[in-house]
Amino acid sequence: MSIVSTSINDNIAVVTIDNPPVNALSHAVRDGVSKALSELNNNDTVNAVVIHCAGRTFCAGADITEFGKPPVSPTLPELMAEMDEFSKPLIAAMHGTALGGGFEVGLACHYRVMDGRAKVGLPEVNLGLMPGAGGTQRLPRLIGAEKSLEMITSGKPIKAEKALSLGVADLVSDDLLCDAINFAKDKTVRRIRDLKCDAGEELFADFKKKIARKSRGFLAPFAAIDAVKVACDLDFDAGIEFEREKFMELVASSHSKAQRHLFFAERQAAKVDGIDKNTATRDINNVAVVGGGIMGCGIAVNFLSSGMAVTLLEITGDAANAAKQKIEKIYASNVSKGRMTDTQMAAAMNALSVTTSYDDLSDSDLMIEAVFEDMNIKKEVLSKLDNVAKDGAIIATNTSFLDIDEMATATSRVSDVIGLHFFSPAHIMPLLEIVKTDNTSNEVIATAFKLAKKIRKTPVLSGVCYGFIANRMSSCYGREAGLLLLEGASVEQVDQTMYDFGMPMGMFSMLDMAGIDIGVMARSKLSDDAYDKRAFSVHAALVDAGHKGQKTGAGFYEYDGRDKKKHALVEELAEEFAKKYNIKRDDISSKEIEERCIFALINEGYKIVEEGIAQRTSDIDVVYAFAFGFPRYKGGPMHYVEHLGLKYVLKRINEFAAKYGDRWWRPSPLLVKLAEESEENV
Ligand code: 3H9
């Protein structure tokens, strides 16, 4: 079948797009549709045209791989203009996910028929873009400015029923093509461009304020608001011109390049060397979780919400019941926020059982331990799981740092042991680090990736090392932040600098939130040469003084409810330890703070790749963006190097090595090699 084909029956033409996997609107598709429409316009036997797609979805948007290349006619806006000029009724028959340019094709049609399970949306903001094929001009004319602003700035798609109620869809159907053809028979031409929309000035100013916090640092949502305002203020053609100009600016921006990089990086991360669709996987229906703390409960929620049965084990009956209540509380909060129904909550809670006996876990397909971060305790738990596990059961650990190869020796099935590292809160954070040991089988790794998709997590593969990808990198950032305190920077200055860089919060605010004692305890088990003791000396002293962070009312800051203020003790401690370690205190610029923190991440990232812990640099970007909120418009630390220049980054790392010693700042050989090969000028 060709990429675009036409069939005519009973005076209704059906134009079918067949461009797997998601019918992206590549040049071949646009060209094919354009030619088909021009033929049908001149064909007197045709009264109306239905546009429809083969495969699993209506067009999922423009072809993202074409962005950044010179536009080739017909561009999507040119095709939309042809559709506007089309003289016969045009009906979009949409199934799957009609997104971005795909939805805009629907909006350029005169009517929209949707499959009952279909969704439509304008997710361009997730790519650092705004709709660029009429979406900002047609949607407000159809459903009003306010609802359009919500859809466009959130990027969230809506379901068919909602689309029907908003007037986006004209018909929702269970037999899409057949109903769309019948629907087409008595229709007349009706163009959205001829409608008018209106809204007061204040709507747009208020909307910018409303999204200011969530969209801090991003360009695209604000550009999209301006474009919707233009839809209300100017005529359609002027609006389209404005939209095109802003869209082209965004395509060329570093923001969109970074966000497009993350889009493909996320999909690339799911590809594992040596594993493909023919690799066998195991069925996971029953999951055991050992440990009913915040982590264990969050992990359990993931599986319950995806329709799996969970048995949660705690040491005592009281602890088991408390865990059940914690899970119930998470669900009750979801219901109260309208994220799920009472019926869905009841189904999830019915699938949960709690126990104190390992024997009750014998039917589990997957067992995950989420107990105290201590090698001996974890080994004991894994050994108990091994004793009751059925053949083929996967035994997983949620450790954040520990050596899983060693842990696996506590079982008789090392090839079935894997790390599934969730991030707190586990039912919300999108990343799942899948940690393979030297012995984990491909079947178990492939199953973990399949499972991640089922529980809607973004998986990234890591090898075993202290802290894996995420926490190993974060330790380097934490080390530099700690040293900067001793060298004269304040907690507030370090945090503000990193916040301004785009991180959701600074390192010290993050430590206060998570609890400073967790890291202090983890480091207490390390040998002195495994980390820079000086960098974490203030942390240890704060914990000794009972200041463990928000939970004790003080840590790096002092807390009064949600308000935080300077904690004078921190400065005193920093001076004391600076003296002890003979560190000269001075004014430190924000540039130095930013570069020390970010370049430490980058250097470690290259080391992680060269050691084979991560498969590729883009996996590291996914980890840091999804686990720690590295600003997506900067694409992750490794992509950010492209923006800065490899040679510049290496030069600064060499300078830091000369000034602060090369124990931590020794440049990664991979970085050196790439910088040498790079043709950029410093
Ligand atoms: C836009 O439309 C701009 C316009 O307003 C204006 C233009 C002038 N292009 O995600 P999956 C690939 S911007 C190229 O694993 P799923 C993807 O990389 C666009 N390729 O499947 C992957 O390749 P591979 C607005 C694309 O079932 C394969 O397809 N639209 C595109 O989990 C399968 O993808 C969007 O932002 C694309 N547009 O999810 C929607 N989309 O197999 C982006 C996908 O080699 N797409 N690929 O790794 C999605 O959100 C999801 O792909 C979708 C399916 C929900 C559709």
Side-chain angles (χ1 to χ4, degrees):
M1 198 176 181
S2 60
I3 239 174
V4 178
S5 57
T6 305
S7 61
I8 303 172
N9 261 315
D10 283 346
N11 307 103
I12 305 293
V14 176
V15 173
T16 303
I17 300 168
D18 187 7
N19 184 26
V22 296
N23 289 310
L25 288 151
S26 62
H27 176 254
V29 172
R30 300 190 304 267
D31 194 45
V33 174
S34 167
K35 286 186 174 132
L37 290 183
S38 116
E39 274 170 34
L40 293 170
N41 223 4
N42 299 323
N43 185 336
D44 293 339
T45 67
V46 171
N47 294 340
V49 177
V50 173
I51 299 185
H52 164 256
C53 287
R56 59 174 146 134
T57 181
F58 195 76
C59 305
D63 185 338
I64 302 167
T65 61
E66 287 183 1
F67 292 152
K69 299 175 188 161
V72 184
S73 267
T75 61
L76 211 41
E78 283 165 352
L79 178 63
M80 304 296 172
E82 286 172 35
M83 291 170 74
D84 262 339
E85 295 300 314
F86 198 68
S87 62
K88 303 166 191 185
L90 267 177
I91 291 90
M94 302 189 283
H95 71 293
T97 41
L99 301 176
F103 182 32
E104 289 171 300
V105 166
L107 291 170
C109 288
H110 308 145
Y111 301 90
R112 285 149 297 281
V113 179
M114 283 178 73
D115 175 77
R117 287 152 304 173
K119 289 180 185 171
V120 293
L122 295 169
E124 284 88 344
V125 284
N126 299 328
L127 298 167
L129 299 171
M130 64 180 211
T136 65
Q137 303 305 301
R138 287 194 180 87
L139 193 61
R141 284 177 162 80
L142 190 62
I143 66 169
E146 188 167 1
K147 294 200 171 71
S148 303
L149 288 175
E150 271 157 25
M151 278 188 79
I152 296 171
T153 60
S154 74
K156 286 195 187 127
I158 55 169
K159 292 181 182 163
E161 286 305 330
K162 175 99 188 273
L164 187 66
S165 71
L166 287 177
V168 168
D170 299 286
L171 177 72
V172 172
S173 145
D174 286 336
D175 188 358
L176 183 64
L177 195 51
C178 184
D179 285 347
I181 291 168
N182 282 331
F183 179 90
K185 287 183 179 155
D186 58 354
K187 295 295 173 291
T188 52
V189 168
R190 184 190 76 170
R191 297 183 177 94
I192 293 178
R193 62 169 289 149
D194 298 333
L195 303 173
K196 296 254 170 300
C197 62
D198 198 10
E201 287 277 324
E202 64 285 359
L203 172 70
F204 303 99
D206 288 351
F207 215 88
K208 282 189 181 173
K209 273 191 218 139
K210 185 174 152 188
I211 65 161
R213 195 154 164 256
K214 197 178 118 232
S215 303
R216 182 176 66 95
F218 289 87
L219 299 171
F222 299 97
I225 295 174
D226 290 342
V228 174
K229 183 170 183 307
V230 167
C232 297
D233 294 348
L234 303 182
D235 67 33
F236 183 80
D237 290 331
I240 287 289
E241 209 174 299
F242 181 88
E243 181 195 77
R244 182 70 180 161
E245 195 182 307
K246 291 286 157 205
F247 178 83
M248 293 310 281
E249 273 172 36
L250 288 171
V251 168
S253 70
S254 61
H255 281 216
S256 178
K257 282 180 197 155
Q259 288 177 254
R260 272 147 39 205
H261 159 77
L262 275 178
F263 175 86
F264 289 113
E266 188 185 350
R267 279 148 187 89
Q268 186 70 14
K271 299 184 172 90
V272 177
D273 293 342
I275 291 179
D276 59 24
K277 58 181 185 326
N278 299 320
T279 309
T281 55
R282 300 181 193 169
D283 287 337
I284 307 290
N285 298 309
N286 296 314
V287 179
V289 177
V290 181
I294 292 174
M295 205 61 193
C297 289
I299 292 173
V301 166
N302 285 297
F303 296 104
L304 292 167
S305 301
S306 307
M308 285 170 258
V310 172
T311 309
L312 188 145
L313 182 138
E314 255 296 350
I315 299 176
T316 65
D318 281 353
N321 285 330
K324 190 171 180 175
Q325 279 167 14
K326 265 183 233 156
I327 293 174
E328 201 159 16
K329 212 169 145 197
I330 293 175
Y331 278 124
S333 147
N334 282 348
V335 170
S336 72
K337 287 177 185 149
R339 291 189 190 138
M340 69 192 306
T341 61
D342 285 323
T343 321
Q344 285 167 326
M345 170 170 169
M349 287 308 292
N350 277 340
L352 171 70
S353 46
V354 294
T355 183
T356 55
S357 164
Y358 277 84
D359 290 336
D360 289 341
L361 309 184
S362 59
D363 199 28
S364 306
D365 307 307
L366 167 70
M367 302 161 140
I368 306 179
E369 73 72 23
V371 300
F372 194 66
E373 191 75 356
D374 176 280
M375 180 59 90
N376 291 333
I377 297 175
K378 288 200 186 270
K379 272 179 151 175
E380 195 184 318
V381 169
L382 256 59
S383 156
K384 284 182 181 163
L385 290 174
D386 184 45
N387 286 340
V388 296
K390 65 182 180 186
D391 277 353
I394 295 174
I395 299 186
T397 166
N398 178 53
T399 179
S400 316
F401 288 97
L402 301 175
D403 181 345
I404 306 179
D405 275 296
E406 184 188 336
M407 223 183 273
T409 60
T411 74
S412 59
R413 50 182 103 201
V414 287
S415 61
D416 289 338
V417 176
I418 194 162
L420 293 180
H421 181 211
F422 292 81
F423 292 78
S424 187
H427 58 292
I428 292 175
M429 293 297 284
L431 187 75
L432 180 65
E433 253 183 332
I434 296 180
V435 189
K436 74 176 175 87
T437 70
D438 287 344
N439 298 302
T440 312
S441 73
N442 277 354
E443 191 174 310
V444 169
I445 299 171
T447 305
F449 272 84
K450 197 169 110 188
L451 189 68
K453 189 156 188 170
K454 197 163 172 191
I455 61 172
R456 290 188 288 278
K457 295 282 179 204
T458 297
V460 174
L461 188 72
S462 172
V464 174
C465 65
Y466 188 74
F468 318 121
I469 300 174
N471 285 330
R472 173 168 161 181
M473 291 186 68
S474 204
S475 307
C476 297
Y477 166 20
R479 179 196 72 225
E480 288 311 305
L483 288 172
L484 283 159
L485 274 195
L486 304 197
E487 290 163 25
S490 68
V491 163
E492 294 76 10
Q493 193 193 359
V494 174
D495 276 2
Q496 189 63 45
T497 302
M498 299 316 288
Y499 181 78
D500 292 344
F501 177 80
M503 300 298 280
M505 64 179 82
M507 178 50 86
F508 297 114
S509 299
M510 194 166 88
L511 286 170
D512 271 0
M513 205 177 75
I516 312 171
D517 51 325
I518 297 173
V520 169
M521 196 168 54
R523 279 184 295 273
S524 71
K525 298 192 174 108
L526 294 177
S527 62
D528 277 0
D529 63 350
Y531 71 106
D532 193 328
K533 239 184 154 162
R534 301 168 307 165
F536 301 99
S537 50
V538 174
H539 307 47
L542 281 172
V543 171
D544 281 347
H547 303 308
K548 299 178 186 171
Q550 276 184 28
K551 60 187 172 191
T552 58
F556 285 100
Y557 296 89
E558 265 186 311
Y559 294 88
D560 180 8
R562 286 181 145 220
D563 296 334
K564 61 182 179 187
K565 60 175 196 221
K566 197 176 181 67
H567 189 184
L569 176 64
V570 177
E571 185 107 359
E572 283 172 31
L573 290 170
E575 279 171 16
E576 182 187 321
F577 284 110
K579 214 175 266 166
K580 175 174 171 188
Y581 292 118
N582 214 9
I583 293 173
K584 187 170 160 289
R585 284 171 68 75
D586 210 343
D587 284 346
I588 301 188
S589 70
S590 298
K591 178 170 184 262
E592 164 110 359
I593 294 173
E594 181 183 306
E595 291 194 337
R596 292 263 299 276
C597 294
I598 298 299
F599 291 8
L601 280 179
I602 292 170
N603 200 27
E604 200 65 19
Y606 280 116
K607 289 180 186 172
I608 286 171
V609 174
E610 79 201 11
E611 287 169 26
I613 299 294
Q615 292 190 97
R616 42 186 98 83
T617 50
S618 60
D619 285 5
I620 293 190
D621 287 335
V622 175
V623 168
Y624 227 78
F626 285 69
F628 297 109
F630 195 94
R632 291 191 182 206
Y633 54 82
K634 287 186 171 147
M638 313 311 278
H639 175 81
Y640 190 52
V641 180
E642 278 176 37
H643 179 74
L644 297 166
L646 280 157
K647 286 191 168 52
Y648 175 74
V649 173
L650 178 61
K651 175 176 150 280
R652 291 295 285 150
I653 287 178
N654 277 326
E655 283 166 11
F656 293 146
K659 191 165 168 194
Y660 304 109
D662 70 357
R663 179 173 171 206
W664 307 114
W665 279 110
R666 178 183 56 82
S668 137
L670 178 59
L671 168 61
V672 174
K673 178 174 167 287
L674 292 174
E676 274 167 9
E677 285 166 7
S678 150
E679 282 167 13
E680 73 206 10
N681 296 318
V682 188

